[in-house]
Amino acid sequence: PPPLPSLWGIPLKYLSLVTLAVQNSALTIIMHYSRVSTPPSRTYSAATAVLMNEILKGAISLVIAFMRIDSSLVAYENAQAPYVPPRPFTDRFLIRLRRLSREVFSPDCWKLSIPAILYVIQNNLQYVAASNLEAATFQVTYQMKILTTAAFSVLLLRKKLSPSQWLSLLFLAIGVGIVQIQAGIDKATTEGATHSTEGLSMNPWKGFLAVVAACFTSGLAGVYFEMVLKNSQADLWVRNIQLSLFSLLPALGPVVLAQHVNAAQSGGSFVSSLFENFGAWAWATVFVQVFGGLITALVIKYSDNILKGFATSLSIVMSFLASVALFDFKMTITFILGSTVVLIATWLYNQHPARVNSMINRESWS
Ligand code: C5P
């Protein structure tokens, strides 16, 4: 096999996993703060944030894909030298553009429409969850995506799980359940159902349902993207452009719908109402999410969805501690017990990661 790509001597596989863990914690905290730090009447539009996320991710992937095509072109010309005279700049630009568009609009590009739609739904659900659950509760409950990722790997990749992996999935469900019970007790003992820092009322059950739904889209979209990526020769960045392109329409839908309602009420222009209340924290959330999307793509390419689950479960501890410090989150025995069970389950699950890789490589999918 070719040597693992690395940066500063560290394999990209591990670098991307650790970066993803840090990014996950940062996103949980920043997104939660951006939603609960202002009264509901002055929160920004989550639909606009999701749309901005897709546009920025697509633009960054486009620049990277363009540069990669350039370097392969230069390498080709150097190999021909001195027989081929260098082409004028505009010529080379057009050649690159044509080659890139041929790759982006390849006959199999439609495959990305499925994860694209799922990710847009998931990214919207995440805002519902972050608005209705404590940051740490959200983070732990979101670990159930390991469960759905496993289920879709069994269904789509026909992956076999070892008995200890099945056991770890059971532990995971129990751990998430324990944390969830604690969130329910919190709600029952807090009069008026307001237990956020600045008086925004949160609905834990609404948040919980949003997380459960997001776990399903995460598992399916992740496994699907991994199949598309590992069963074709196409460049990761070209796949990302395709993913963003297919996301634009479903991401634009809720924005236009909301604007239609708002414009009738306030009479403001489309763009100004699009970015109403879209302050620094909203932009910070978008930037951290864009960064996360790009890292996720790298993780899926250089390792796999199961290891991704392990990395994000590490981030539980980080965001848990930050949550205690920043949001007055109370450290209860139940929360510690639930989190510990989730972490042990994640560790147990990852005792046999090699089977996943071999299964994906064996599987032929077209
Ligand atoms: O929670 P999960 O790991 O499933 O979240 C994946 C996130 O990464 C989503 O927000 C999705 O939009 C993003 N993503 C991406 N590009 C990829 C794969 C995922 O932006 N190629």
Side-chain angles (χ1 to χ4, degrees):
L4 280 178
S6 59
L7 196 65
W8 307 306
I10 309 168
L12 219 50
K13 175 176 173 172
Y14 299 111
L15 203 61
S16 59
L17 281 167
V18 172
T19 314
L20 187 69
V22 176
Q23 180 276 341
N24 250 262
S25 313
L27 181 64
T28 307
I29 303 291
I30 293 172
M31 186 186 275
H32 179 73
Y33 183 77
S34 75
R35 297 308 276 175
V36 301
S37 61
T38 54
S41 58
R42 286 201 288 118
T43 46
Y44 63 95
S45 154
T48 303
V50 172
L51 180 66
M52 286 302 114
N53 176 38
E54 292 307 332
I55 292 174
L56 286 174
K57 245 175 7 192
I60 293 171
S61 303
L62 192 71
V63 171
I64 296 176
F66 200 78
M67 287 182 342
R68 285 169 68 88
I69 291 239
D70 187 36
S71 53
S72 69
L73 199 69
V74 169
Y76 172 79
E77 284 181 350
N78 284 346
Q80 302 291 309
Y83 309 105
V84 179
R87 292 193 177 92
F89 177 77
T90 45
D91 256 24
R92 295 173 49 127
F93 187 83
L94 287 177
I95 291 171
R96 272 178 270 162
L97 209 60
R98 233 175 286 137
R99 196 183 287 192
L100 186 59
S101 64
R102 228 187 2 250
E103 285 187 24
V104 170
F105 299 105
S106 62
D108 72 343
C109 70
W110 61 268
K111 283 179 184 168
L112 276 297
S113 64
I114 294 163
I117 293 169
L118 290 170
Y119 276 139
V120 169
I121 296 172
Q122 176 181 342
N123 291 341
N124 276 292
L125 285 171
Q126 237 181 318
Y127 281 92
V128 178
S131 313
N132 288 289
L133 291 173
E134 297 290 357
T137 309
F138 167 51
Q139 182 89 50
V140 174
T141 317
Y142 208 18
Q143 293 313 303
M144 275 195 302
K145 64 187 167 184
I146 301 179
L147 211 70
T148 54
T149 303
F152 285 114
S153 298
V154 168
L155 283 173
L156 295 176
L157 302 171
R158 266 164 279 143
K159 178 179 171 269
K160 299 262 186 303
L161 294 183
S162 66
S164 73
Q165 283 181 316
W166 283 116
L167 192 69
S168 71
L169 291 177
L170 184 72
F171 276 145
L172 181 75
I174 293 171
V176 170
I178 293 173
V179 172
Q180 203 49 43
I181 287 167
Q182 190 241 284
I185 293 169
D186 260 9
K187 179 167 161 57
T189 53
T190 313
E191 257 180 75
T194 55
H195 58 140
S196 103
T197 33
E198 307 215 357
L200 173 70
S201 84
M202 295 198 280
N203 182 343
W205 283 107
K206 188 176 171 187
F208 181 62
L209 288 179
V211 173
V212 171
C215 286
F216 274 92
T217 59
S218 169
L220 182 54
V223 169
Y224 207 98
F225 186 76
E226 191 173 338
M227 280 201 302
V228 174
L229 202 64
K230 293 184 175 169
N231 287 298
S232 77
Q233 295 297 312
D235 187 61
L236 168 70
W237 302 102
V238 171
R239 289 304 192 199
N240 271 350
I241 298 171
Q242 293 169 335
L243 194 67
S244 283
L245 281 179
F246 279 113
S247 300
L248 287 183
L249 208 62
L252 207 59
V255 171
V256 172
L257 212 69
Q259 290 315 305
H260 197 67
V261 177
N262 285 351
Q265 286 169 358
S266 64
S269 81
F270 180 79
V271 176
S272 74
S273 55
L274 202 70
F275 290 104
E276 213 176 317
N277 303 319
F278 215 90
W281 285 104
W283 280 113
T285 306
V286 169
F287 288 137
V288 176
Q289 201 162 30
V290 166
F291 182 63
L294 300 173
I295 297 292
T296 300
L298 284 171
V299 166
I300 294 178
K301 180 172 168 73
Y302 293 114
S303 47
D304 59 56
N305 276 295
I306 309 293
L307 273 172
K308 179 165 79 63
F310 185 61
T312 50
S313 87
L314 276 182
S315 72
I316 295 178
V317 182
M318 298 183 205
S319 53
F320 168 56
L321 295 175
S323 204
V324 170
L326 296 173
F327 302 124
D328 276 341
F329 187 74
K330 284 175 196 64
M331 208 187 295
T332 61
I333 292 291
T334 342
F335 188 89
I336 294 170
L337 183 68
S339 301
T340 309
V341 172
V342 169
L343 282 175
I344 292 173
T346 314
W347 170 80
L348 193 61
Y349 191 90
N350 283 279
Q351 291 309 293
H352 306 280
R355 303 181 82 142
V356 187
N357 285 333
S358 61
M359 195 61 210
I360 289 159
N361 294 337
R362 268 211 309 276
E363 200 65 37
S364 68
W365 185 80
S366 57

